[in-house]
Every structure is written in C-alpha cells, then in structure tokens.
Amino acid sequence: MKSFTEEIKNEITAQTVEDRACRLAMLSAFVRTGGSILLRNGKYGFELVTENEQTADFFSDMLENGLPTAFSGVSFDYKSERNKMTFECLNENSDKLLRELQIIGSVKGEDAFITGIDDALVSNKKCRLSYLKGAFLGGGCCTLPEENIYSRTGYHFEIVFNNKQIASDFCDLLCGFEILAKLVTRKETTVVYVKSKEVISDILNIMSCPESLEKLNRLVEQKDRQNNANRVNNCSVSNIDKTVTASVKQVQAIEVISQTIGLQALEKPIFDVAACRLADKNASMQELAERLNISKSCINHRMRKILELARTLSQD
C-alpha cells in the first residue's frame, strides 16, 4: 500500500514540465534534498537517491530531454527496507549542468559551492513552484493521523535539506506563497516543516495534487466529526455526573430533615419536592419539575431551601 508521501510524489511526477527554467529549478531542488555532489578526477558531478520509481523515471526523462547530461550509472540498495535507487551523473556535461543549477559557481576565478538559492534560479512564480515540487520529491514527507483510531501522530509536512542556508532561503520562498513554515536542525540536516492541516492543504493545492488534497480533506472532515462526537459524549457524561452528585446531596439533606424535625413539618410545596425526590433518586431536576407541573427554576428554588434547612439542622 502506498504511503501518503508516495501518492503526492506520484501526482507531482505525473505533471508535465515544459519550461526549461522550471526544469532547472526542479532538478536543482532535488539535488539539494535528495542528492549529493561528486568530485572525481577533477570533474564535478552529482548523484540522486530515491525510493520512488516514478520519481526516478521523471528525472531520467528530464535529463534525456533538454538538459545537458545523462545518468552514467544506476545502483540499488537491496539491504534497506525499501530498494533505494542511486543515479550517478558524472560526465563531460555534469559540471556544466551544476553551474546552470546554481549549485557550483565561480568565486575569484575558483570553483565554489553556492550555499543558498540563487535568485536567478527562482526568478518567477512558476520556477519557485517547480523548486517547491523538486524539493518535496527529493526530501519531502507528509504524514496524516490514522483513520478511525486515536493517534498521537498528527498532520505533518516536512522537507529535509543538507544545507541550513538553503533551508532558510526555502522558507523565504514559501512566504511568497503565503506559507509560514518552521525550521529545525536535525543531526547534520535542516528540516523545514508545518503541522497545520490548513497549511498542508494549501501546499497540496499549490502543487496541483487534487487527489491527495481530496484525501486530506476527507480525513479532516472525518476527524472533526469524531472529535465533535467525543466532545458531545464527554459533555453528556459530565452532565450525568453532576446530576448524580446533586441528587445524592439532595437525598442526604432530606434524610437529615426527616430524622430531626420530620418531613411533615415542611410547607406543602417544599414537602412535595422532597417526596418527589425520594420517590426517584435518579431523576433530573427537569424531570422532577415536569412531574410536579412547575418550572425548573421553581424546583431549584425549593430544593435550595431544603439544602439550607438541612445545613442549619446539622449545625444545631
């Protein structure tokens, strides 16, 4: 069974990316999250790691159609719980591509790694959106609470970066979509995350993942119904507890009066309330009021008199 993360990634990779600038932004984000830089025999290249076959096919097609390099090797990690595919790009064109991806640049005539997201790479909204999608494909994860059962696991969306400056710039990029994310360091990586179901819904909508968005909204509605039902049930239990407690105190007060001055000493309206309560110790005040054909406020007033009289008699 596919995880929710896989479902989102499959929706992203099913989309067509025609614009070359958007392809570069998406691949650059993927390298920053799901890849690493290689340097062999003075030549720069990179490798990409993924567990998702559609993601692998997606970037393979991207490199074969319009970007100046290709995978030069593929390996599989069969020891892991899931087969990880590692794609190596190290050839005469990989160095050139890394410069187009704004990952390697020149500083004072020497090669250097670019630590942030270059503005030229995300110069328009379409490219920024492509960068978001590429980052999720490389290092993204989205989890939902389990259906029909109580779970401590809530709504969670995150993308893991191997560079803190990139993660910080990515938070700024999300702000352009009116998405406020948090940032935390986890071992040697930096994680950008959100835990709000409303914000996750906005992200899925922005990334054009309608099926995943529908699944999220369906789960949110179900959880809301469950929470409302629990609140109503808790409220009902609380009201029952209050009714039982009040009834016990009332019966005890009536017994004090009966054992001291006797119930016959009470005025008839007060006596009727006491007798009615003794006849049904579990009835609510509303039920007693209906049986005596009086208002609830009236029976509350008479019951307070019984409680006050019992308190006085107990002190004497």
Side-chain angles (χ1 to χ4, degrees):
M1 183 177 178
K2 293 179 183 177
S3 68
F4 190 56
T5 297
E6 288 179 299
E7 292 176 13
I8 298 172
K9 290 183 177 182
N10 289 347
E11 280 201 83
I12 293 174
T13 54
Q15 301 168 19
T16 302
V17 185
E18 298 289 351
D19 186 81
R20 190 174 190 276
C22 290
R23 290 185 172 199
L24 289 172
M26 184 173 279
L27 180 58
S28 179
F30 191 85
V31 174
R32 296 285 197 178
T33 53
S36 57
I37 305 303
L38 303 175
L39 178 58
R40 194 177 299 157
N41 299 324
K43 185 185 300 182
Y44 282 104
F46 59 93
E47 64 178 14
L48 306 177
V49 180
T50 182
E51 296 175 349
N52 185 285
E53 290 186 17
Q54 285 189 218
T55 299
D57 292 340
F58 178 77
F59 282 103
S60 179
D61 291 342
M62 184 179 291
L63 291 174
E64 290 176 1
N65 296 281
L67 298 185
T69 191
F71 290 128
S72 52
V74 181
S75 61
F76 296 87
D77 181 7
Y78 294 106
K79 294 181 180 179
S80 62
E81 185 176 338
R82 304 192 54 181
N83 295 338
K84 288 185 178 180
M85 295 164 280
T86 301
F87 298 83
E88 184 179 284
C89 296
L90 186 62
N91 50 46
E92 64 277 4
N93 291 318
S94 56
D95 184 288
K96 178 182 177 182
L97 180 56
L98 282 172
R99 296 176 192 278
E100 285 197 83
L101 297 178
Q102 302 298 329
I103 293 176
I104 292 179
S106 180
V107 178
K108 297 181 180 181
E110 295 185 1
D111 290 336
F113 292 110
I114 299 173
T115 57
I117 302 176
D118 192 280
D119 290 338
L121 194 66
V122 288
S123 58
N124 58 61
K125 188 174 182 179
K126 287 176 61 177
C127 288
R128 289 193 291 274
L129 177 57
S130 294
Y131 199 96
L132 166 58
K133 293 177 180 178
F136 185 79
L137 289 176
C141 176
C142 188
T143 57
L144 304 178
E146 295 185 54
E147 296 184 40
N148 301 318
I149 63 172
Y150 172 78
S151 173
R152 290 182 177 273
T153 303
Y155 302 90
H156 185 86
F157 178 101
E158 70 172 38
I159 299 177
V160 181
F161 292 86
N162 54 23
N163 179 290
K164 188 173 183 179
Q165 184 59 54
I166 291 287
S168 179
D169 289 353
F170 186 74
C171 285
D172 293 338
L173 182 147
L174 291 178
C175 284
F177 294 104
E178 298 184 352
I179 295 171
L180 298 179
K182 295 183 179 181
L183 187 150
V184 65
T185 300
R186 186 187 296 164
K187 294 183 179 180
E188 297 180 356
T189 62
T190 305
V191 182
V192 175
Y193 72 95
V194 297
K195 287 183 174 293
S196 163
K197 56 181 179 289
E198 291 81 10
V199 177
I200 295 175
S201 175
D202 290 341
I203 294 174
L204 294 179
N205 184 49
I206 291 169
M207 294 196 302
S208 301
C209 299
E211 293 181 9
S212 299
L213 178 59
E214 182 181 354
K215 181 174 182 176
L216 169 65
N217 291 338
R218 192 166 58 245
L219 180 63
V220 169
E221 291 177 4
Q222 177 189 329
K223 289 294 182 180
D224 285 346
R225 285 196 300 269
Q226 290 176 346
N227 291 337
N228 289 334
N230 289 337
R231 280 193 290 269
V232 170
N233 182 62
N234 291 338
C235 183
S236 298
V237 171
S238 177
N239 288 337
I240 291 172
D241 290 342
K242 289 178 180 178
T243 299
V244 171
T245 301
S247 175
V248 169
K249 290 182 179 179
Q250 293 161 7
V251 170
Q252 289 175 342
I254 293 169
E255 290 176 347
V256 169
I257 296 172
S258 177
Q259 294 168 6
T260 51
I261 63 173
L263 297 182
Q264 297 302 325
L266 298 175
E267 297 177 3
K268 187 175 186 312
I270 306 298
F271 174 85
D272 290 343
V273 169
C276 194
R277 167 51 79 199
L278 291 177
D280 191 346
K281 298 178 180 180
N282 296 321
S284 66
M285 295 295 279
Q286 181 62 47
E287 291 171 331
L288 295 181
E290 291 173 357
R291 292 171 190 175
L292 293 171
N293 197 27
I294 58 177
S295 67
K296 186 177 179 181
S297 60
C298 182
I299 198 169
N300 282 331
H301 175 70
R302 294 176 185 177
M303 192 63 76
R304 279 196 297 271
K305 284 191 172 184
I306 291 174
L307 293 171
E308 290 171 5
L309 177 59
R311 195 158 39 244
T312 301
L313 293 173
S314 296
Q315 292 172 353
D316 294 343

